[in-house]
Every structure is written in C-alpha cells, then in structure tokens.
Amino acid sequence: MNLSKTEIIRLLSDDEHEAKLLSHADAVRRQYVGDEVHLRALLEFSNICRNNCLYCGLRKDNLKVKRYHLSAEEMVETARLAAQLGFKTVVMQSGEDMYYTAARLCPIIEAIKKFDVAITLSIGERSYADYKAFREAGADRYLMRIETTNQELYHRLDPKMSWQHRYDCLMMIKELGYELGSGIMVGLPDQTIDSVADDLLFLQQIGVDMAGIGPFIPHPETPLADCKGGTLHLALRTMAIMRLLLPDINIPATTAMEALAQNGQALALNSGANVLMPNVTAGGYCKLYELYPGQKHSINNTPKQWYDSVCSKINSIGRIVGQGYGGHKSTLLSHKKSEA
Ligand code: SAM
Ligand code: SF4
C-alpha cells in the first residue's frame, strides 16, 4: 500500500484513532501472512564491540560491562539445542567483534546449517568479501538496522560511523541475495515524527524483507542515560504503518516493546507483527548482553520451559507457531543451492 508522507505523519500523530490503525494493521497481517508466528532463536554470541553508539549498553566506552564471546563449540551446541526444541531459524547477533573474522565465523555457520535451520546474521558492518563469505557458508538473512534516516542525528549518535557506509552495507547485503532485515528505533533524542515518517518510506523504498522497529530505551551507563526514550504507543503505531506499507514482510514483536510493558509483544502481535525472537543464549552470558534495561532473560527457566512458555503465549492470543523457515521469500537461496 502506498501512503504519502503527510498521511504517515497524520497516522503517527493521531492518538484518538490509534486503536483503529492497530487493528487495521492486524487485519492486513492476517490477510497477507496469516496467523503463523515465526520463532527465531536469538544467539547473542559476543558483547564485544568496537563502536561507541551513544544509546547502546554495549558501547566500547561502557567499562562496567563484563565482556565475553562464546567459543565456536558453545555457539554450535546452543544452536543444536535450539533446533532440537523446534526453532527453524537461528539469529546470530553480536557487537562489532572483529575477533570473529570470516575465517572463524564461516565454519561455525556451516556447522549450524547442518541442523536444518535458516541463519540470520546481525553482526554489523563488514566488508563485501566478508558478507560474500558468510553467504557462501550458508547465511540466509542479514539484519542491520539503519537506526534513523536523519543523517545528522545518526552521526551525532554513532560517533565515527558513517550513515552512507551503513547504507552501502545494506545494499551489498541485498545484492548478495540475503533476505534483508533493517529497522529503526523510535524516540531517539531530537528525532521528530517527520523523521520517523521518512524512515518508514526509506524501509519501503529499499524493499526490506524484515523490519524491526523498537522504542529507544535509555541505558544508565551511556551518555543518553537521562533522555526520555521512546513510548510503546509510538513504536506500535510506527510498526503498524510499516505493515500497511509492506503488507507481506516479516515484522518482529521486538523485545524492547516487552521491556516497556509486560504485554508489549502480545500487543505488537495484535498490531501487525508476525515474528518473535526468544533469546536462547545461556543465562550467564545473556544477562551480560544488556543493550537497555528491562530486557527479559530466560535465566530462571530451562530452554524447554522457555520455549513452551513462548508457544503458549502465541496460542493464548489465538495464533499458531510457524512450522517452516518463515522467510519472506518462499525458498531460501542457500537451501535452493544445497537442493540443486
Ligand atoms: N552491533 C550490531 C548492530 O549495531 O547492527 C547488532 C547488534 S545491536 C546491539 C542491535 C540493535 O540494538 C541496534 O541496531 C539498535 O537498534 C538496538 N539498540 C541498541 N541500544 C538500544 C537501546 N538503548 N534501546 C533500544 N534499542 C537499542
Ligand atoms: Fe555496537 Fe551495535 Fe551497540 Fe552500536 S548498537 S555499540 S554497533 S552493539
């Protein structure tokens, strides 16, 4: 569906008709992608990062974080358990940790691929050669948020990074045949509704296969500790409009939404979202991967209990757990390759 910037701004600003927008997005979601909720096992394999994004708890100047990265064996074993539980996608996410060169990461991707899962990488900006190597090793999707399309704001919040370079990376990823995931945060300091409307049009224009939209939540150990942060309402509205703009893509109910309200992800699933990314990282590590306060961890549950509780949450709102790989495109290229 096409919406003008003026219409998007009106929808983003309209408190009174929010419920109507969210239920319309829910109906569009049902019509285009059905009732399945696709589960992605989130494996946070390293909290080491060379960058200093002002909003992020993992920024390199946050000296209070105890840094870790998982060994290859730990990663493969966690992915094996996730596949055994029933996950059909493993999302490998990290800070920009250069220890994980292509030479180190590719064999891990190849090993995880043997568990018959789709692989999403979310490890930030790399060279074309690295993206190509990961793709050839079996990575199917790549997730990297543009964060904001306001370049001046981006450069203020992401010191020493280049918006243009991030954009170029997204284009390389697309060209290499990955399913492309991107997204934004809403409620960044000095971000306007006008700018969020631009972000939505940008994601539509580059044709993302997946769009992750979450509220910015201030982390106490960052320079943005005293900022106000985004609201769940604005995040839900933004996400709902995304569903209208790109009706058949994958849209996760983000964990940042759940951090703001206990039923945040259920609300999101009823407002256009069709993906959940439960964390499968072992408890000891997962609590060290703190992007923002209020992240929910599975530390008190066994992986099986955690998986079952996510499934019953999905069923309790009248939805069903997705059985396939749950990609946007019907067949994953790397599966095609192995079938050929
Ligand atoms: N390092 C990679 C990157 O930046 O693309 C992947 C991991 S990064 C931690 C994943 C996402 O977390 C970022 O793209 C950003 O949108 C989000 N994030 C970071 N800090 C946040 C905060 N304080 N509130 C909400 N989301 C946050
Ligand atoms: Fe590093 Fe990503 Fe956090 Fe930026 S958002 S500091 S790149 S982990």
Side-chain angles (χ1 to χ4, degrees), residues 190-229:
D190 299 329
Q191 186 187 40
T192 60
I193 290 292
D194 192 275
S195 162
V196 174
D198 283 336
D199 297 346
L200 283 166
L201 288 168
F202 169 85
L203 295 170
Q204 182 188 37
Q205 187 242 319
I206 66 168
V208 289
D209 298 295
M210 188 277 231
I213 290 159
F216 156 60
I217 304 176
H219 187 291
E221 299 300 333
T222 64
L224 302 184
D226 297 327
C227 291
K228 214 162 127 263

Side-chain angles (χ1 to χ4, degrees), residues 48-66:
I48 297 168
C49 189
R50 62 178 170 174
N51 292 325
N52 236 337
C53 307
L54 263 52
Y55 42 81
C56 180
L58 302 187
R59 64 196 304 270
K60 80 164 181 234
D61 283 357
N62 182 4
L63 302 180
K64 294 212 172 150
V65 181
K66 191 171 159 228

